Amino acid sequence: MCGIVGAFLRGKPCLAALVRGLRVLEYRGYDSVGVGVLQAGELVVRRKAGRIEELERLLAADAGALDEVSVGIGHSRWATHGPPTDENAHPHCDWRGRIALVHNGIIENYQELRAELALRKIPLRSQTDTEVLAHWIGIELEGAGGDLAEAVRRALLRVRGYYAIAVLSGGERPQMVASREGPPLCLASTPEGAWLASDPLALIEHARDIVFLEDGDVAELAPGKLVVRGRDGALVARESVHVAWNAEAADRGGFAHFMLKEIHEQPDVVARGLFGRVDLERGDVTLPGEFFSDASLKQVTRVQISACGTALHAGLVARYLIEGLAGVPVDVDFASEFRYRQPVLVPGTLALGISQSGETADTLAALRLARSLGCRQLSFCNAVGSTMVRESEATLLLEAGPEIGVASTKAFVAMLVAATLFAVRLGRARARLTRAAASELLGELGRMRMNLERLLTREVVDKIRALAERHKDARGFLFLARGINYPIALEGALKLKEISYKHAEGYAAGEMKHGPIAMIDRDMTTVVIASRDSVASKVRSNIEQIRARGGPVICVGDDEESLAVSDERVVVPGLSPWLSPIANVVPLQLFAYHVALARGCDIDKPRNLAKSVTVE
Ligand code: AGP
């Protein structure tokens, strides 16, 4: 959840690069920010509660005194232990000020270690778990003969929990050391410098060949040097991965917010997700590797999907697609629930993890549990080199490009594309789907780019903005839909609440009369997703029932009769019901964006949230 960076440059100033890296990683947490640098071998720490601007103000007060430093680490925090104060901001130093540490994760046995520190009369200055580890590394430095990498390795043997850390020590032989157990950490080293970060996005301005640390690795970095050892101290080889994303992908490109930019990228995201994967002639999907072959897919008896948040909603759509197009039964679980129950998985169950980041702790744990129970594992994931991609037997990469907005948009659409492709491949492998039916569906998917563009014209966007302004003060919002669009109702509600802080609930429309209808009055806005499908007339009845009770209804979809009986409407191009979720979600994303904008919310950094949830 926190973001960490480090830079060790050959004779060049590093502070600006550290701050730029933190800016790229700010999406991971923005409670406090700090850097620790080496000035003539001495550690200097600057840290502050609040956002990067606070750190910049602190650094400005140094009046250039740190401008020449060439080694440093930095941190942007998503608070877990202790409130977001200056004292709890990272880096944390050991009691003698010999090492500085930044940390993403949780030290679960920190109370136990804290008690031992108390016995040694080592004073604690913060309420964090991180500071405890800093002192522990300081203690081990003695026994390790002053070698920081060895001290870190020894200290971590005492730690239970999950972490990505970067540690700096000064003196005559400055050292920068990194380690991970759980959260991601990537490194690069060239003759000019060495860098580390929680996300390759913060490294690509410096290097493209990136090493992703594995659990238990302890690495020492310096210009032209990258030495990795395992828990036992033995050297381990880690291959680099070439990351092709360009640096522009990490800026807003003229849009007011990353979220808006990412919503507008969706037509291209769909096209990228399909590129090289669709064969209209054969009515099939081409996916590389034995895993996706007919013989392999014929052995799948059931699919168990685990995911969180928006990715879970994509999983719920995937259930309709896989059951409907391939005839394979599907279960979908919150990863956080799946991992702690005792699931009964029949032989032949395929575990499918869905994640934008590939680092969500619960989703990774769910996949590991499924693996331990003998399941094969597939992931739909956006982040190349992520833990999920590396641990899964096969991956369908989402190809959405970096998603920075905390509210996920384009990754969701890419997940729906991936789910459709996989369902078609499975359906074809199992001879459930005919060539002609598959070809027609894939052809329509190919036209999706154009259909999404029609939903992103100035005219449509202005209309949704006006709708949002009219409804922004509603007491609450109900999102209703049925069938394959039911998860889109959940997603519309999630988007709205996470960035505008308005209460919103997604509901299966058929359930309305079993409770939620009691909330309907003129201050409760209902957004109904109405597609021209087999349950369209039933959704239309819901609209009538809400209006009969004085509740305003906004209808989104292509069912003309539903649109006609609603108070306000956003018309979505007519599509096959299987593909309708991809288009229906776009107006809901824009609606959430404009409600949040009209309410003056911080859209790309909503309160209390972080983009990547690498802790439980
Ligand atoms: C999406 O808008 C959310 N911020 C969140 O629910 C997210 O989808 C969830 O945390 C899962 O993340 P992942 O896709 O990276 O696993």
Side-chain angles (χ1 to χ4, degrees):
M1 319 275 292
C2 305
I4 65 179
V5 290
F8 190 153
L9 307 188
R10 191 181 293 283
K12 276 212 217 129
C14 72
L15 207 50
L18 287 178
V19 173
R20 276 201 308 280
L22 287 174
R23 210 173 270 295
V24 172
L25 296 183
E26 211 187 1
Y27 72 87
R28 300 177 67 87
Y30 27 85
D31 289 332
S32 66
V33 64
V35 291
V37 294
L38 287 179
Q39 189 183 37
E42 294 292 318
L43 279 173
V44 178
V45 168
R46 297 286 180 263
R47 54 187 192 161
K48 192 84 188 138
R51 299 201 173 167
I52 291 194
E53 295 68 34
E54 297 298 331
L55 175 68
E56 286 176 328
R57 268 191 275 281
L58 264 189
L59 295 173
D62 281 322
L66 300 178
D67 280 2
E68 298 307 315
V69 298
S70 58
V71 189
I73 53 178
H75 187 267
S76 65
R77 178 171 188 239
W78 186 83
T80 59
H81 293 61
T85 58
D86 293 353
E87 298 70 41
N88 289 335
H90 299 213
H92 289 279
C93 295
D94 70 318
W95 79 105
R96 284 181 294 204
R98 294 198 306 175
I99 69 113
L101 165 71
V102 290
H103 166 220
N104 168 29
I106 292 178
I107 310 296
E108 287 174 345
N109 60 337
Y110 84 105
Q111 293 286 21
E112 175 192 320
L113 297 174
R114 216 179 160 102
E116 285 195 43
L117 291 175
L119 290 177
R120 292 170 186 250
K121 308 243 174 318
I122 293 178
L124 288 161
R125 292 166 293 229
S126 76
Q127 293 137 291
T128 63
D129 51 341
T130 306
E131 188 193 344
V132 172
L133 178 57
H135 293 307
W136 217 263
I137 295 171
I139 291 171
E140 295 290 355
L141 210 50
E142 296 299 322
D147 179 57
L148 182 65
E150 178 59 12
V152 168
R153 191 188 69 80
R154 291 182 185 202
L156 291 176
L157 294 176
R158 287 295 312 271
V159 164
R160 266 200 332 273
Y162 33 104
Y163 49 78
I165 58 170
V167 197
L168 200 59
S169 66
E172 284 169 14
R173 186 184 152 224
Q175 282 182 286
M176 190 161 80
V177 172
S179 182
R180 85 166 263 189
E181 179 73 40
L185 197 54
C186 44
L187 323 171
S189 179
T190 70
E192 287 74 47
W195 299 268
L196 65 89
S198 300
D199 186 323
L201 259 188
L203 294 188
I204 54 179
E205 70 160 295
H206 311 294
R208 293 309 177 93
D209 293 316
I210 291 172
V211 170
F212 292 83
L213 285 192
E214 303 278 344
D215 282 351
D217 286 355
V218 177
E220 183 177 353
L221 310 87
K225 171 181 178 180
L226 178 44
V227 178
V228 188
R229 294 180 188 274
R231 278 189 197 89
D232 58 0
L235 284 172
V236 287
R238 296 285 172 240
E239 291 298 313
S240 61
V241 174
H242 186 76
V243 176
W245 290 346
N246 59 24
E248 293 76 59
D251 71 42
R252 291 201 305 264
F255 286 90
H257 297 94
F258 279 110
M259 182 185 179
L260 190 61
K261 175 187 176 223
E262 289 159 3
I263 289 173
H264 281 268
E265 282 172 1
Q266 292 180 121
D268 286 345
V269 166
V270 170
R272 272 208 303 275
L274 298 179
F275 184 73
R277 290 171 168 171
V278 169
D279 186 336
L280 287 181
E281 195 62 31
R282 284 193 305 115
D284 211 339
V285 169
T286 312
L287 297 171
E290 203 280 324
F291 186 94
F292 296 107
S293 68
D294 286 2
S296 150
L297 294 179
K298 274 182 188 149
Q299 287 164 21
V300 175
T301 56
R302 206 172 180 91
V303 177
Q304 169 64 55
I305 299 177
S306 308
C308 303
T310 287
L312 179 94
H313 299 155
L316 291 168
V317 175
R319 168 160 68 190
Y320 286 89
L321 290 164
I322 295 170
E323 291 191 337
L325 299 175
V328 176
V330 180
D331 290 308
V332 188
D333 257 306
F334 296 109
S336 53
E337 289 298 316
F338 177 79
R339 64 182 289 194
Y340 288 116
R341 63 181 175 84
Q342 283 151 28
V344 178
L345 302 174
V346 294
T349 297
L350 170 67
L352 171 56
I354 307 181
S355 174
Q356 188 286 127
S357 61
E359 301 292 351
T360 301
D362 286 321
T363 310
L364 290 175
L367 275 182
R368 286 172 190 151
L369 172 64
R371 184 182 318 128
S372 73
L373 295 172
C375 295
R376 303 179 67 191
Q377 325 94 53
L378 169 65
S379 60
F380 295 170
C381 187
N382 196 36
V384 196
S386 63
T387 307
M388 183 180 281
V389 171
R390 284 177 294 122
E391 290 188 2
S392 301
E393 203 177 327
T395 298
L396 221 164
L397 278 176
L398 299 179
E399 309 287 3
E403 188 180 67
I404 313 279
V406 168
S408 183
T409 53
K410 63 175 180 171
F412 178 69
V413 156
M415 287 167 188
L416 300 188
V417 171
T420 312
L421 293 179
F422 179 65
V424 168
R425 179 75 279 275
L426 195 59
R428 293 293 286 138
R430 303 170 66 85
R432 161 84 179 213
L433 197 60
T434 64
R435 186 174 72 87
S439 184
E440 193 182 325
L441 193 65
L442 293 172
E444 192 174 336
L445 194 52
R447 294 189 292 280
M448 186 60 80
R449 175 196 194 131
M450 184 189 74
N451 280 318
L452 293 193
E453 272 164 3
R454 286 162 63 189
L455 283 170
L456 291 165
T457 59
R458 166 68 63 87
E459 193 193 344
V460 179
V461 173
D462 284 351
K463 178 175 183 162
I464 295 173
R465 183 192 300 124
L467 265 179
E469 275 161 12
R470 280 200 292 283
H471 290 267
K472 70 178 194 324
D473 296 319
R475 189 179 78 251
F477 293 82
L478 204 54
F479 286 73
L480 299 180
R482 287 188 79 138
I484 195 167
N485 280 295
Y486 158 56
I488 301 305
L490 299 179
E491 177 60 7
L494 176 64
K495 283 291 88 91
L496 186 61
K497 65 186 142 197
E498 72 178 327
I499 58 170
S500 77
Y501 321 138
K502 290 298 289 186
H503 183 249
E505 259 190 281
Y507 240 88
E511 280 290 295
M512 191 190 76
K513 54 192 173 295
H514 298 289
I517 197 166
M519 298 194 298
I520 299 295
D521 63 19
R522 64 194 171 103
D523 295 325
M524 170 71 76
T525 295
T526 304
V527 180
V528 177
I529 299 129
S531 274
R532 218 168 335 127
D533 56 19
S534 58
V535 284
S537 63
K538 299 182 195 304
V539 172
R540 218 172 295 141
S541 304
N542 290 129
I543 297 175
E544 302 282 13
Q545 289 155 11
I546 296 163
R547 296 200 62 219
R549 286 158 181 82
V553 175
I554 302 172
C555 183
V556 174
D558 66 346
D559 181 57
E560 282 158 19
E561 289 177 60
S562 298
L563 290 161
V565 296
S566 300
D567 300 286
E568 313 202 65
R569 55 201 61 79
V570 180
V571 182
V572 171
L575 294 166
S576 147
W578 297 120
L579 304 182
S580 59
I582 300 178
N584 286 337
V585 75
V586 175
L588 305 190
Q589 297 166 340
L590 285 167
F591 183 71
Y593 174 84
H594 283 292
V595 171
L597 193 67
R599 289 170 51 75
C601 301
D602 192 344
I603 292 176
D604 281 334
K605 298 188 186 77
R607 69 185 179 206
N608 306 336
L609 286 174
K611 178 76 180 157
S612 182
V613 187
T614 54
V615 296
E616 275 196 68

